[in-house]
Amino acid sequence: MALLKVKFNQKKRVKLAQGLWLMNWFSVLAGILVFSMGLFLKVELRKRSEVMDNSESHFVPNSLILMGILSCAFNGFAGKICYDSLDPTKFAKWKPLLKPYLALCFLFNILLFFVALICFLTRGSLDSTLAQGLKNGMKFYRDTDTPGRCFMKKTIDMLQIEFKCCGNNGFKDWFEIQWISNRYLDFSSKEVKDRIKSNVDGRYLVDGVPFSCCNPSSPRPCIQYQVTNNSAHYSYDYQTEELNLWRRGCREALLHYYSSMMSSMGAVVLLVWLFEMSVMVGLRLLHTSLESIANPEDPECESEGWILENNLKDTLKSALESLKKIGKFNQVEAGAEGAEGEEGGKTPAITTVS
């Protein structure tokens, strides 16, 4: 028994073809939207590529761009088929291509669904990418005279100001690295010498943070240096008082920014996928309803359209049998080739009689 069998007359077939033509062009616009989202996300990721450890995060925007291009191509082609289906003479040239085209559409929709899931599930890989990238970026903050790293200070400062964050996981991350360049240190000063000697790696570590960590909304002037020294500031206790520094780490801020963006894009792609699935189902009904016309010379006659010629169980069973036949055919061919090779390698025995 066919799955989702529907009866059609000429009027219904025309309406279905016209509706699908319109839906396919809406799908082209949806493909342009998916392409645009991928392009926008790629630009946003490239803006902060200096604080990202690798390029794995570009898999999502590249996938969206590819799916957008394929969507435009597939739906533009389907729109032409639906338009030509109104004319039997024009539709005849598309008949041999419809089955392989629908198979490609099915694969495309699987990929589109996979991309939508990736948009929701990419948070974990993005988290590790940002954590390591920010850690490395903070190490290079002081290298303003090193080629290739001279803009890192500006990048980190602008990042902390824009996203209202400080450090990787928090402001205390700055205490563990030397973020002040050696060119601005007075090595004749006893304080500088003592700090460098007290550190195993010979780094100048301070309990201070860059200016970009300061919260401009705080009524108190920013306590940027000696953050953990209560006696260095009047009426101050860093453990109980709310500091006028950004509390949130930049990893958390960027992760929230990108993951919420990708989740929104995933929801849009999921809606596009549902729309694409409905278009594919409609195209299959149109295809089968036109093929099952009993008398092609009489376009007014009724016909039947279906999604699957048999039910789902029988269809899967026949598909598995077809795959098994292909496998057995390949094994027979391989066995025949091996037998031919063995026969070719044999040499006839020659006996001589003296």
Side-chain angles (χ1 to χ4, degrees):
M1 183 179 176
L3 180 67
L4 198 63
K5 186 182 284 188
V6 183
K7 285 191 176 182
F8 288 91
N9 54 29
Q10 172 67 3
K11 189 176 180 181
K12 283 185 178 180
R13 286 194 295 269
V14 169
K15 281 186 177 181
L16 178 61
Q18 289 174 339
L20 284 172
W21 178 83
L22 188 62
M23 287 175 73
N24 273 294
W25 288 111
F26 275 121
S27 295
V28 170
L29 294 177
I32 294 171
L33 175 63
V34 172
F35 175 84
S36 302
M37 288 192 306
L39 204 60
F40 173 75
L41 182 57
K42 195 171 184 67
V43 170
E44 284 296 303
L45 288 170
R46 281 194 178 276
K47 278 182 185 178
R48 297 168 186 94
S49 59
E50 292 176 338
V51 294
M52 291 187 177
D53 185 44
N54 52 48
S55 57
E56 287 180 10
S57 53
H58 287 275
F59 176 75
V60 175
N62 290 341
S63 301
L64 289 172
I65 289 169
L66 178 62
M67 288 296 105
I69 293 170
L70 288 176
S71 178
C72 292
F74 274 101
N75 289 292
F77 184 70
K80 174 66 175 170
I81 292 173
C82 293
Y83 183 79
D84 287 349
S85 65
L86 298 172
D87 186 349
T89 56
K90 288 183 179 179
F91 182 72
K93 64 181 180 181
W94 299 117
K95 274 189 177 182
L97 298 173
L98 270 173
K99 277 189 178 179
Y101 172 74
L102 285 166
L104 287 173
C105 281
F106 183 70
L107 290 174
F108 167 74
N109 280 298
I110 290 174
L111 287 174
L112 193 63
F113 182 73
F114 175 73
V115 170
L117 286 182
I118 289 295
C119 289
F120 291 111
L121 301 175
T122 194
R123 182 184 176 92
S125 62
L126 189 61
D127 189 9
S128 58
T129 296
L130 286 169
Q132 191 60 41
L134 282 165
K135 187 178 179 181
N136 293 334
M138 287 170 65
K139 286 179 182 178
F140 302 143
Y141 182 87
R142 63 172 180 164
D143 297 339
T144 51
D145 298 326
T146 306
R149 300 176 186 172
C150 51
F151 295 108
M152 187 56 73
K153 179 183 181 300
K154 180 183 176 182
T155 300
I156 297 290
D157 283 333
M158 294 303 294
L159 178 69
Q160 293 188 145
I161 292 170
E162 181 181 353
F163 286 90
K164 299 179 179 179
C165 59
C166 184
N168 190 346
N169 298 307
F171 68 90
K172 288 186 179 180
D173 292 337
W174 289 107
F175 300 174
E176 300 171 5
I177 61 169
Q178 181 182 337
W179 55 272
I180 301 173
S181 176
N182 286 338
R183 67 182 294 188
Y184 301 114
L185 296 176
D186 181 9
F187 287 95
S188 62
S189 169
K190 186 178 181 300
E191 182 190 349
V192 172
K193 287 179 181 179
D194 290 343
R195 281 191 178 274
I196 291 174
K197 286 178 182 178
S198 65
N199 185 264
V200 177
D201 298 325
R203 294 176 297 170
Y204 182 76
L205 303 182
V206 293
D207 56 342
V209 295
F211 77 98
S212 52
C213 282
C214 295
N215 181 358
S217 301
S218 173
R220 181 170 188 159
C222 184
I223 297 175
Q224 181 184 351
Y225 295 104
Q226 296 184 324
V227 176
T228 57
N229 187 357
N230 293 334
S231 61
H233 312 283
Y234 178 73
S235 184
Y236 175 71
D237 184 357
Y238 85 96
Q239 291 182 335
T240 58
E241 185 175 337
E242 184 178 348
L243 301 179
N244 49 9
L245 304 176
W246 299 120
R247 290 280 186 171
R248 188 168 62 161
C250 290
R251 180 184 59 82
E252 182 189 344
L254 282 173
L255 185 63
H256 175 73
Y257 174 71
Y258 283 119
S259 59
S260 60
M261 185 189 297
M262 288 183 186
S263 296
S264 300
M265 289 180 178
V268 173
V269 174
L270 208 55
L271 289 173
V272 172
W273 172 75
L274 289 171
F275 194 74
E276 292 282 359
M277 285 294 291
S278 63
V279 171
M280 186 181 71
V281 169
L283 191 61
R284 174 63 176 167
L285 287 172
L286 180 65
H287 167 225
T288 50
S289 66
L290 288 169
E291 277 198 337
S292 63
I293 293 176
N295 183 11
E297 294 180 0
D298 181 18
E300 297 291 333
C301 68
E302 290 189 348
S303 63
E304 290 183 339
W306 57 81
I307 303 300
L308 296 174
E309 194 169 357
N310 301 312
N311 58 39
L312 189 60
K313 185 180 177 181
D314 292 339
T315 303
L316 290 173
K317 190 176 178 181
S318 62
L320 287 172
E321 287 176 356
S322 300
L323 289 172
K324 285 179 182 178
K325 284 179 183 178
I326 292 169
K328 286 179 181 178
F329 179 73
N330 289 335
Q331 286 176 3
V332 169
E333 279 192 338
E337 287 175 3
E340 286 176 6
E342 286 177 7
E343 288 176 4
K346 287 179 181 178
T347 56
I350 300 173
T351 57
T352 59
V353 180
S354 56

